[in-house]
Amino acid sequence: MLNLTQARIHSPSAVYYNLGTEALYEQALRRNEGLIAQGGPLLVVTGQYTGRSPKDKFTVLDETTRDTIWWGDVNESYEPKDFDTLHFAIGDYFRNREVFVQDCYLGADPNYHLPIRVITEDAWQSMFARNMFIRRSPALGAKDFIPSFTLISASGFRTDPLRDHTNSEAVIVIDYTRRVALIANTRYGGEIKKTMFTVMNYLMPERGVLGMHCSANVGKDGDTALFFGLSGTGKTTLSADPSRKLIGDDEHGWSDNGIFNFEGGCYAKVIRLSKKDEPEIYDCTSRFGTILENVTMDRTTRGILLDDASITENTRASYPLEFIPNIQPKSMADHPKNIVMLVADAFGVMPPISKLSPEQAMYYFLSGYTAKLAGTERGITEPQATFSTCFGAPFMARKPAVYAEMLGRKMAEHNTNCWLVNTGWSGGPYGVGERIKIQYTRAMIDAALSGKLAEVPSEKHQVFGVEVPQSCPGVPEKILNPEDTWADQTEYWRKARELSLRFMKNFTQYAAQEPKEVREAGPLVLDVDGTTRMK
């Protein structure tokens, strides 16, 4: 039996080490953790938590982190002594219980491998780690693997807020000195994935690597593209392009060597998934080895019901990267030629695609404007306008200026283009307008990546200052100019002004650290007629 005393786990009833997918299916079924649907996917229900719980996330405050963590609402501090108490309590919880262990890697580039050990209470969560992270060679034994970071998920352990100084009965806490992360009382698989992403975003900048909340693919000519955006804005969907090879769908590093995937799998939203619009992801939902979180099925036919949001809007599929037919070998590629920043504009005023200057790229990267979409976090039932630093504030462990400076420097070094793409609403705000059709978004991105948009005239937007192409193959010209899609253009400019004020208010937190050129690259404040600049 694998010795887990270093993880403070003593006397478990059994330790299942690096079980393969088939064996984990057997264990999950034996333990009544899930059901098998038509085609072979494993269906699991995550219970109370069907999305991330950001208010339950903590970082241990000590000499390692005191001056390096971006402290605040995103990274709330936790006392070392409280971590010790919690760690011992979770270790004792595993006494006489079955334990599942997966030894994996983060970082597809061997120069930046981070060996990790994932210890879980649930068999399906062990399979989740096996899907999402990079698998180690089965020929290696436990004694040959030395983890640099350990994650323990005790999904059935309820914390005591009074004893453990947590905000609820669930907790996610990272200790960078001990190199241990603890997750308790949540079965949502995304917590495992995003906790380790946060760890990479803390560790990698010390090695000259920019951690990015983005998907990535590469064209036939070797042109790499990055897609930044929050959950639900289209990172996974738009990067799964049959004409381009997928590097990864969510988390990447940008080193001196180029782009590499942090992960070994995909974690796609599947609510109302369409075979027509997203065929590659759709096919993955009916495969043996895929985990479907909070997806329901017909109990007679065992066919999955992807349109059913009765459990949550945030239904998910976890599957290995190799399930996508057109993937980039070794999950690495050259430096990006294009960056696409995806926003789901709930106001319906931002252009569907626009070209950014280097200074605007920095401004919009730091702003991270989008809308939180239903189901991605607890309590979110409809889109809410928000600003999420670096398009991933919940996972940015260091101060935003660290990531912004690295992005700007790397873009300048490699002459990278940047595009702002609105995958949100057109013709009015949420509830009035309609969400931009995905076929239009695909056509615009194809034109940008192929260089076609560089050949068409553009016009500077009066509020946002970005260059808006006036034509695009496969897209009606009316769609390209957002004010033309509104029935009441006065109301359009009123909403645009409202959003520009929000941008300005949000950016005050970064202004002191950024040069004048970046500070002045944001939206203008116009009068309601859309022509007069307000003082």
Side-chain angles (χ1 to χ4, degrees), residues 181-222:
L182 304 174
I183 299 175
N185 199 41
T186 170
R187 284 187 162 84
Y188 179 62
E191 296 290 13
I192 293 174
K193 167 186 163 67
K194 292 304 188 185
T195 296
M196 294 315 303
F197 180 40
T198 304
V199 168
M200 290 293 276
N201 284 332
Y202 180 79
L203 297 178
M204 288 294 107
E206 295 178 343
R207 304 181 65 186
V209 176
L210 171 63
M212 303 175 294
H213 188 214
C214 70
S215 57
N217 62 26
V218 60
K220 61 182 180 180
D221 296 325

Side-chain angles (χ1 to χ4, degrees), residues 359-437:
E359 294 77 20
Q360 288 171 330
M362 296 280 286
Y363 184 97
Y364 283 98
F365 178 68
L366 281 166
S367 299
Y369 168 67
T370 191
K372 290 182 180 178
L373 300 184
T376 55
E377 290 183 10
R378 297 177 65 209
I380 302 296
T381 57
E382 63 180 38
Q384 295 182 4
T386 188
F387 293 89
S388 186
T389 307
C390 307
F391 292 98
F395 326 119
M396 299 296 125
R398 294 181 181 268
K399 296 174 183 177
V402 172
Y403 306 108
E405 186 278 330
M406 293 184 76
L407 178 71
R409 174 165 45 82
K410 289 179 181 293
M411 286 181 63
E413 288 175 359
H414 303 288
N415 196 27
T416 305
N417 299 315
C418 189
W419 306 86
L420 192 67
V421 173
N422 176 17
T423 63
W425 282 259
S426 176
Y430 172 80
V432 176
E434 295 182 351
R435 194 149 191 191
I436 297 170
K437 294 180 179 180

Side-chain angles (χ1 to χ4, degrees), residues 243-393:
S243 67
R244 300 174 63 86
K245 292 183 178 180
L246 181 69
I247 304 170
D249 82 325
D250 196 43
E251 303 171 5
H252 291 83
W254 189 350
S255 73
D256 291 340
N257 302 325
I259 301 300
F260 66 95
N261 196 349
F262 280 169
E263 301 181 295
C266 299
Y267 191 49
K269 283 197 73 173
V270 295
I271 190 67
R272 291 177 286 276
L273 192 68
S274 163
K275 183 173 179 61
K276 176 184 177 182
D277 292 334
E278 301 168 89
E280 293 184 333
I281 301 172
Y282 186 92
D283 289 344
C284 290
T285 62
S286 297
R287 291 191 59 168
F288 181 86
T290 292
I291 300 169
L292 296 177
E293 283 187 351
N294 301 311
V295 173
T296 62
M297 70 176 180
D298 184 306
R299 291 303 181 105
T300 301
T301 66
R302 305 195 82 79
I304 57 175
L305 305 174
L306 293 178
D307 291 341
D308 184 2
S310 59
I311 299 177
T312 178
E313 284 277 337
N314 192 34
T315 55
R316 292 276 179 169
S318 163
Y319 49 88
L321 192 59
E322 59 263 27
F323 279 14
I324 297 293
N326 195 27
I327 61 173
Q328 174 73 352
K330 299 183 180 180
S331 296
M332 296 186 290
D334 200 359
H335 301 282
K337 182 178 179 181
N338 290 283
I339 288 175
V340 178
M341 295 182 179
L342 303 169
V343 302
D345 176 28
F347 284 78
V349 297
M350 298 196 77
I353 189 166
S354 54
K355 180 76 178 294
L356 303 184
S357 69
E359 294 77 20
Q360 288 171 330
M362 296 280 286
Y363 184 97
Y364 283 98
F365 178 68
L366 281 166
S367 299
Y369 168 67
T370 191
K372 290 182 180 178
L373 300 184
T376 55
E377 290 183 10
R378 297 177 65 209
I380 302 296
T381 57
E382 63 180 38
Q384 295 182 4
T386 188
F387 293 89
S388 186
T389 307
C390 307
F391 292 98

